[in-house]
Amino acid sequence: MGFGDLKSPTGLKVLNDFLADKSYIEGYVPSQADVAVFDALSSPPSAELFHALRWYNHIKSYQKEKASLPGVKKPLGKYGPADVADATAASKDEDDDDDIDLFGSDDEEESAAAKKLKEERVAQYEAKKSKKPALIAKSSILLDVKPWDDETDMAKLEACVRTIQMDGLLWGSSKLVPVGYGIKKLQIQCVVEDDKVGVDQLEELITAFEDLVQSMDVAAFNKI
C-alpha cells in the first residue's frame, strides 16, 4: 500500500488517479490521513493532475486547523492504493528515529483512538436520527468562468471545474458564451447547500487552475 515517491511525477500520478473518484484520502471528511499525504508533497500538483490539485487546494484551506482534524496520523505508506509498493519501507531500517509518529502510531493507542472515534460518530449519528429533519437552505448559482485567451482548451477547463466535488455541491448544465475577439467564457450552473459551500470557496478552487482560468464571476444567484 502507498503512493510511491510523492516527490516524483510517478507518485503524483498515482495520487491523482487515486483521487479521481474520491474527495479525501480516507472517508468522507478531512482527516489526519489527508494531513499526512499533504505534508509529504513538496509543492502543489500541476494543472494536468487536476484531481490531485483540487484535493491539494481543498486540504490547504484547513492548514490552520489541521491538528484538530479527526483520526490518527499514520505512516505515509499506510495510505493509498493497495497495489502500489510502499516507498517509505526501504528507508525505515536505516533511520528508525525519523519514523517516530508524534501523533501516536502504537497499535494499542491507535486502536483506542479508533474505538473512541467510532463511538463519537455513532453518538453523533444517533443524535441526528433523534431530531426531525431540518430545512436545508440551498442556492442556485450561475458562474462565469473566463479563460486567458481564445487558445484556451475550454473542454479541458470545464472538465477541471467539474472535478471539484464537495459535500453540498451539485454541478448542472453549462454552455460557452462569446465575449469578443474569438474568446468564449464558460457559463456553468450549480446548486449549493448554503451552510456547506460558499462562493468564495468556489472561486478559490476554480481559480486554482491558473493555467486555464483568468477569473470567475457570479452571473446570477438565487435562493431555492
Side-chain angles (χ1 to χ4, degrees):
M1 180 176 284
F3 294 105
D5 183 1
L6 284 174
K7 293 182 173 59
S8 71
T10 301
L12 289 173
K13 185 178 186 306
V14 173
L15 176 63
N16 185 69
D17 293 343
F18 180 76
L19 291 167
D21 59 352
K22 299 176 180 66
S23 296
Y24 304 103
I25 300 299
E26 287 185 346
Y28 301 98
V29 295
S31 68
Q32 292 301 320
D34 297 285
V35 174
V37 178
F38 181 92
D39 289 345
L41 299 178
S42 57
S43 61
S46 66
E48 296 294 327
L49 304 172
F50 42 79
H51 298 299
L53 180 59
R54 173 256 305 163
W55 167 85
Y56 181 94
N57 288 323
H58 185 47
I59 299 305
K60 184 179 178 181
S61 68
Y62 288 93
Q63 284 307 287
K64 292 183 179 180
E65 54 194 289
K66 67 178 183 179
S68 64
L69 293 179
V72 177
K73 192 175 183 183
K74 296 181 287 190
L76 187 61
K78 298 295 184 181
Y79 307 111
D83 58 346
V84 175
D86 176 10
T88 63
S91 61
K92 184 175 181 181
D93 292 336
E94 298 175 7
D95 194 356
D96 287 340
D97 289 342
D98 289 343
D99 290 339
I100 296 176
D101 186 0
L102 298 179
F103 290 89
S105 59
D106 180 81
D107 290 343
E108 292 184 3
E109 293 181 5
E110 182 176 329
S111 178
K115 183 178 180 181
K116 181 179 178 181
L117 178 61
K118 182 178 179 180
E119 291 175 349
E120 290 176 352
R121 288 180 174 174
V122 170
Q124 291 173 359
Y125 174 73
E126 293 297 336
K128 288 180 179 179
K129 280 179 60 178
S130 64
K131 297 178 181 178
K132 292 183 179 179
L135 181 63
I136 299 175
K138 295 183 179 181
S139 298
S140 174
I141 308 175
L142 185 62
L143 301 176
D144 280 347
V145 184
K146 299 176 183 177
W148 287 105
D149 50 42
D150 59 341
E151 296 182 357
T152 300
D153 186 340
M154 297 303 292
K156 182 177 179 181
L157 187 152
E158 180 177 351
C160 288
V161 171
R162 289 185 182 275
T163 62
I164 299 172
Q165 299 294 324
M166 302 167 59
D167 185 24
L169 170 64
L170 178 64
W171 293 110
S173 60
S174 65
K175 64 180 179 179
L176 298 180
V177 179
V179 295
Y181 303 101
I183 300 175
K184 295 181 179 180
K185 65 182 177 182
L186 171 68
Q187 198 166 76
I188 186 167
Q189 188 88 27
C190 67
V191 174
V192 303
E193 293 183 22
D194 296 346
D195 290 340
K196 297 179 180 179
V197 182
V199 172
D200 291 343
Q201 194 174 11
L202 287 174
E203 182 177 14
E204 179 182 350
L205 294 172
I206 290 174
T207 55
F209 299 109
E210 54 188 18
D211 293 341
L212 300 168
V213 178
Q214 180 192 87
S215 64
M216 186 214 84
D217 297 307
V218 176
F221 190 105
N222 297 294
K223 293 289 186 181
I224 298 177

